[in-house]
Amino acid sequence: MGVRSVSDGGDLGIKYPLGYDAPGSWWLSANSWPNFPSHTGDSSAGNGGNGYFAGSLIGKSYAAFQPLNVAQAGSHATADAYQTNIAYFDQSATQIAGIGGDGGNWNAALGGKVGAFGSAGSGAITTGDNSAGNGGDGYFFGAMVHAPVAVYAPINIAVAGYNSIAHADQTNDVVFDQSAFQMAGVGGDGGNGNAAIGGNVSVSGTNHGPHQTIGGLSVASDHGGIGSNAIASGDNHAGNGGDGYFYGGIVHASFALYYPINIAVAGYNSSAHADQTNNVVFDQSAFQMAGVGGDGGNGNAATGGTADIFSSIFDLIGSDVIATDNNGAGNGGNGHFSGSMVDIDVAIYAPINIAVAGYNSTADAHQSNNVVFDQSAIQISGIGGDGGHGNTALGGDFAMHLLSDLHLLDHA
């Protein structure tokens, strides 16, 4: 629909195809504007979609490693049992649910320009309410569980009879990776470099009715005016982060069992050697984040449109007639968290090294252990997003010209 003209005593023309105009009964009456005759705002660009999740995410892994090495010799014999193990358990998990999409970058949402000549009614023009690059909200309802189990049980045994030698050597290099990254109910970040600007507004109120003589001067008795809340070119938003919502529980429960056994047994007048070397790393760390609001975008601008008003001094501007502010750029979203966040790590490390020698014998048991337990946890919940940097939120310029009807003296 295209607005052709609005003027004193004129009509609001609607151009139709093939050059035809609407029937005369469709024309708006003179000297009047209906509410909201022009609406060119409410534009949006590059906003991220909302994320919703209802249910459960479960990562439940199981790994078992149980090698067995046995050497047994009779009388006057030698028994050797060697075992070398290199094991790597990767039971890490990445679980993401209910994440709002990020807003686009370098977008523009602009309200259209409006030019009017005549009387304007209440709430006549709206060119604001534009948004660009805002992140979508994230919602999560349910449970997120990561419960890995790892069992590592190598056994090395050497048994020798009377007047014999038994050797049992065991070397183990093991890494347990049961770390988890769990994220739920996180609002998308606002876009960067966006602009949401309200359209410019130009209004001229010169609607004069019949002239009256007051004190020898001829003035108009019916003056064109702008009604209350006539113009709104603000309420623009650019690059704001979406809110994050989380309801339920996030659980990281890892379990690792490591018990190598090394045994050397020698009979009477014999030698027994049991050597064991272990290098073990337990990584059961967890990073859990839920209900976090997205960060606001950077380098954005949210500006209200410019408003120029020309009106008669005898017809005052109504209250709250012009709104060009209430603009926001780069605000961080709120964070909401309800539920529980649990990190339970269990690691059992029990190497056994035994050397048994009979009467008048020698028994050697050597064990070397290098163990690292990483059961750290980072848990973040209900955190509001950071506001953007380098943003601008400005109210639109406003210029009003109050014209006296004295210029109509030549009509007296």
Side-chain angles (χ1 to χ4, degrees), residues 94-348:
T94 301
Q95 297 173 311
I96 301 176
I99 309 300
D102 295 337
N105 300 325
W106 300 103
N107 297 312
L110 308 178
K113 296 182 179 180
V114 174
F117 182 82
S119 176
S122 176
I125 300 175
T126 301
T127 63
D129 197 17
N130 306 303
S131 61
N134 298 323
D137 296 334
Y139 301 90
F140 180 91
F141 303 88
M144 183 176 291
V145 180
H146 175 238
V149 177
V151 178
Y152 180 87
I155 299 175
N156 186 35
I157 300 174
V159 179
Y162 177 81
N163 199 22
S164 300
I165 298 175
H167 296 278
D169 298 321
Q170 188 180 78
T171 301
N172 299 309
D173 294 319
V174 183
V175 177
F176 292 88
D177 185 1
Q178 296 176 321
S179 60
F181 181 87
Q182 297 169 312
M183 183 170 59
V186 181
D189 295 336
N192 301 323
N194 299 312
I197 302 175
N200 297 329
V201 176
S202 177
V203 177
S204 176
T206 60
N207 183 28
H208 303 288
H211 289 236
Q212 295 181 356
T213 302
I214 301 177
L217 299 177
S218 177
V219 298
S221 61
D222 184 12
H223 306 285
I226 307 301
S228 176
N229 296 321
I231 299 175
S233 62
D235 197 19
N236 305 302
H237 305 276
N240 299 324
D243 295 335
Y245 302 90
F246 177 86
Y247 305 91
I250 289 182
V251 180
H252 174 241
S254 58
F255 178 80
L257 180 61
Y258 179 88
Y259 54 94
I261 299 175
N262 187 35
I263 299 174
V265 178
Y268 179 81
N269 197 24
S270 300
S271 297
H273 299 279
D275 298 321
Q276 189 179 82
T277 302
N278 298 308
N279 296 312
V280 183
V281 176
F282 290 88
D283 184 2
Q284 296 176 318
S285 61
F287 183 89
Q288 298 169 315
M289 182 170 60
V292 180
D295 295 335
N298 300 324
N300 298 314
T303 308
T306 302
D308 294 325
I309 305 298
F310 299 86
S311 179
S312 172
I313 195 172
F314 293 101
D315 193 2
L316 300 180
I317 305 298
S319 65
D320 297 327
V321 66
I322 299 175
T324 62
D325 53 1
N326 195 25
N327 307 302
N331 299 322
N334 297 323
H336 305 274
F337 178 87
S338 300
S340 60
M341 187 174 290
V342 180
D343 176 54
I344 300 176
D345 301 316
V346 177
I348 298 176

Side-chain angles (χ1 to χ4, degrees), residues 64-88:
F65 183 79
Q66 297 176 335
L68 177 64
N69 186 31
V70 179
Q72 184 175 1
S75 179
H76 297 282
T78 300
D80 296 321
Y82 300 103
Q83 188 180 73
T84 300
N85 298 311
I86 299 176
Y88 179 75

